[in-house]
Amino acid sequence: MRKYWFLVGLLGSLGAAAQQKPNVILLVADDLGYGDLECYGAKNVETPNVNRLAEQGIKFTNCHATAATSTPSRYSLLTGEYAWRRKDTDVAAGNAASIIRPEQFTMADLFKNAGYTTGAIGKWHLGLGEVTGQQDWNAPLKNTPRDLGFDYHYIQAATADRVPCVYLEQDTVANFDPSAPIFVSYRENFPGEPTGLTHRDSLKLDWSHGHNQSIVDGISRIGYMKGGGSALWKDENIADSIAAHSVRFIREHASEPFFLYLCTNDVHVPRWPHERFRGKNPMGLRGDAIAQFDWTVGQVLDALEDAGIAENTLIILTSDNGPVLDDGYADQAIELLNGHSPTGPFRGAKYSGYEGGTMVPMIVRWPAEIAPQPENPTLLSHIDLLRSFGSLIGAEVPDGGAVDSQDYMAQFLGRSTESRPWVSELNHTRTLSVRTPHWKYLPASKLTPIVNWGPEIENGNQPEEQLFNLLADPSETTNVAASNPAILNSLRLIHRRASE
Ligand code: NG6
Ligand code: CA
């Protein structure tokens, strides 16, 4: 009898939990490739925590970021508007002004309006402040994530390879050190400050291209900075800091619905994971960084379990763009691949209009509501997450907001396998390609076909139009434009519509 009452009580409380609005964690890796996780076929690296997430959720095999670099990809994700609509959405410097305008509607606004507590933790890379280069880093900044619907933020302004190398928490530099005021310039060095050019021998991780300006923590970066003192980050602690702040956010808000936009620094360059991971992987630092990413995922999953809210938390794990090997530091990512393919079977990589540029891992878990699916091939795009979340939590998008985003929540929850008719993909030179579930079209381009600095990556630009039959040729090896005029024409039309 006692057992029976216990069961009734348990079912009752589960029912209550399921009726409550779910917590939502959008966990975005940086430069993590489609093939970089064990559950997506990675070699040489174990990702047990991501595997656990995938086993308990849905593993999507055809989900796309909207762009092949961070800033435009994240801009689209958070605003539901394609980045090509705005000229100023290319990879942002660390002293870029806020790219999203305070009056623009964001994913965080959506959740906040619905009564959620909202947080942004980790890599930001969407600009801060009112005017580029005019920020006073020693005072509270204006135009921060707090003006974009986030109640809380603990972020890196850009990426770990760009100054300023400090965290911003609630508009100010975290652990601000008044004895070492911070100055930042993307034009010229501060007199007497060492750089990767003048002090190359002192670096603990050498640069391979670019990344030879200010030295912080023994690694030279893009841009110049002075000061920071005890507020400067140590690269080996970045994952720990991001995880610790995320765990704290989860604990503090366990009893109310929350939205956490959690962006890891892994596996972006410079790759310098904690010594718990460093030197452990046959692929070297890049493999270590993937292992560290997996550890972060484990921290989040454990925190949800500990807080008793794993059941009713929707987690979406994905990446902002495709993978890259040598992205400016001599970390031997190419030499030590040992048979691993970061893009899985796809052509191109980060920066590229080929599939490797934007095909990303996508795992969705919500134990209270969705049954596991080991493989879901529905064609989906990050652009739709905003409106899909709106339908999930019953929140309205105001007129003029998220103009490119559509409700695909049934697909993200595995309840419909109807693909998006097409998705569009922006490469680093802003060439826009489109793909349907069957075909891929890249318009003719006179721009460089190869990333024109260090990494030898095909970015998809070719002087003639390209058409690929992705069902027969997912690796985009054979251009079939000439032999399929009718299909070519229909894809041209889709491309025109996608650019309007
Ligand atoms: C490139 C950087 C690269 C990386 C990228 C942005 C050079 C030579 N290369 O310009 O290292 O920082 O920008 O990456 O400086 S992203 O993932 O944030 O988009
Ligand atoms: Ca990125």
Side-chain angles (χ1 to χ4, degrees):
M1 194 63 177
R2 272 175 78 179
K3 215 174 188 175
Y4 171 74
W5 283 115
F6 166 73
L7 270 177
V8 169
L10 182 72
L11 289 173
S13 65
L14 279 180
Q19 276 155 26
Q20 206 190 26
K21 285 181 178 169
N23 307 304
V24 176
I25 300 180
L26 178 56
L27 200 161
V28 184
D30 202 350
D31 298 358
L32 184 79
Y34 180 87
D36 276 330
L37 298 167
E38 212 180 357
C39 51
Y40 281 88
K43 291 204 179 90
N44 311 324
V45 61
E46 290 174 3
T47 55
N49 293 297
V50 180
N51 294 352
R52 164 158 62 121
L53 189 74
E55 280 156 20
Q56 297 168 354
I58 307 174
K59 190 186 89 178
F60 288 94
T61 55
N62 204 356
C63 180
H64 296 256
T66 60
T69 53
S70 285
T71 302
S73 168
R74 289 160 194 260
Y75 175 85
S76 300
L77 189 67
L78 288 186
T79 64
E81 178 186 281
Y82 288 123
W84 55 260
R85 294 193 188 282
R86 292 260 308 263
K87 287 200 176 87
D88 56 351
T89 51
D90 281 333
V91 174
N95 66 349
S98 179
I99 295 169
I100 307 175
R101 294 179 303 263
E103 64 274 17
Q104 235 177 313
F105 188 74
T106 69
M107 189 180 278
D109 289 322
L110 182 94
F111 282 102
K112 198 171 158 64
N113 292 350
Y116 279 65
T117 301
T118 53
I121 297 179
K123 168 169 169 161
W124 181 242
H125 212 185
L126 288 165
L128 292 166
E130 290 174 305
V131 183
T132 295
Q134 301 292 303
Q135 300 90 345
D136 178 357
W137 299 96
N138 306 296
L141 292 173
K142 300 207 171 89
N143 287 15
T144 72
R146 286 218 273 193
D147 300 287
L148 304 176
F150 287 105
D151 296 309
Y152 175 74
H153 62 267
Y154 176 82
I155 53 173
Q156 301 171 285
T159 48
D161 63 348
R162 285 172 171 75
V163 302
C165 299
V166 290
Y167 304 100
L168 280 302
E169 186 170 25
Q170 303 304 72
D171 310 340
T172 55
V173 169
N175 301 319
F176 181 70
D177 182 347
S179 73
I182 298 167
F183 300 94
V184 172
S185 169
Y186 274 72
R187 288 214 196 113
E188 54 186 1
N189 195 13
F190 298 95
E193 296 293 314
T195 68
L197 283 175
T198 61
H199 289 68
R200 193 164 185 177
D201 289 347
S202 72
L203 301 174
K204 67 182 181 196
L205 177 65
D206 198 9
W207 50 273
S208 56
H209 49 266
H211 304 93
N212 54 21
Q213 299 176 336
S214 284
I215 299 175
V216 175
D217 192 27
I219 297 176
S220 51
R221 323 265 165 170
I222 305 173
Y224 300 102
M225 80 174 287
K226 184 180 160 165
S230 56
L232 293 171
W233 69 53
K234 288 206 177 334
D235 289 78
E236 65 185 23
N237 294 332
I238 293 175
D240 281 357
S241 299
I242 291 174
H245 284 79
S246 302
V247 167
R248 199 182 71 190
F249 182 89
I250 290 167
R251 277 196 198 130
E252 283 179 359
H253 302 290
S255 61
E256 56 199 356
F258 65 78
F259 167 61
L260 175 59
Y261 173 59
L262 197 185
C263 299
T264 66
N265 167 60
D266 292 315
V267 297
H268 199 280
V269 297
R271 304 177 186 117
W272 196 260
H274 192 269
E275 62 179 6
R276 302 196 300 281
F277 305 97
R278 212 162 59 235
K280 304 277 188 319
N281 188 277
M283 295 191 289
L285 289 164
R286 189 169 186 279
D288 298 336
I290 296 173
Q292 183 169 262
F293 171 77
D294 182 73
W295 171 85
T296 302
V297 174
Q299 293 296 295
V300 171
L301 298 185
D302 290 350
L304 294 172
E305 299 279 342
D306 292 348
I309 54 172
E311 272 289 306
N312 199 28
T313 298
L314 170 65
I315 306 185
I316 298 198
L317 180 150
T318 190
S319 178
D320 65 343
N321 52 252
V324 58
L325 296 170
D326 176 356
D327 208 16
Y329 292 95
D331 58 13
Q332 293 198 289
I334 297 175
E335 296 84 336
L336 297 176
L337 271 178
N338 284 307
H340 170 71
S341 175
T343 54
F346 303 110
R347 182 173 178 180
K350 176 179 178 177
Y351 306 114
S352 181
Y354 293 124
E355 292 296 281
T358 49
M359 180 74 97
V360 286
M362 169 63 100
I363 299 169
V364 178
R365 187 190 84 165
W366 184 11
E369 289 291 329
I370 61 181
Q373 288 179 20
E375 200 96 3
N376 183 319
T378 312
L379 176 64
L380 291 167
S381 168
H382 281 174
I383 194 72
D384 295 325
L385 279 172
L386 194 155
R387 248 177 228 274
S388 301
F389 285 145
S391 99
L392 175 79
I393 62 173
E396 295 284 320
V397 175
D399 286 350
V403 291
D404 297 310
S405 187
Q406 294 174 24
D407 176 13
Y408 276 83
M409 203 61 205
Q411 282 80 344
F412 286 115
L413 297 181
R415 293 172 185 160
S416 163
T417 53
E418 191 183 331
S419 281
R420 207 178 200 279
W422 50 266
V423 304
S424 70
E425 307 167 359
L426 191 67
N427 82 357
H428 78 115
T429 64
R430 296 178 90 83
T431 305
L432 192 72
S433 51
V434 288
R435 63 156 292 167
T436 67
H438 195 150
W439 303 93
K440 168 76 171 272
Y441 171 78
L442 298 102
S445 169
K446 295 197 176 89
L447 300 172
T448 170
I450 300 281
V451 173
N452 52 5
W453 65 86
E456 293 267 301
I457 296 170
E458 298 179 294
N459 58 25
N461 295 334
Q462 289 292 335
E464 70 281 356
E465 292 174 295
Q466 297 171 80
L467 180 72
F468 298 102
N469 179 348
L470 294 174
L471 292 184
D473 178 23
S475 307
E476 298 168 280
T477 60
T478 312
N479 182 2
V480 296
S483 48
N484 293 276
I487 288 160
L488 180 65
N489 211 32
S490 71
L491 268 288
R492 277 187 196 134
L493 291 175
I494 291 174
H495 184 263
R496 193 189 304 161
R497 200 176 329 140
S499 322
E500 278 166 358

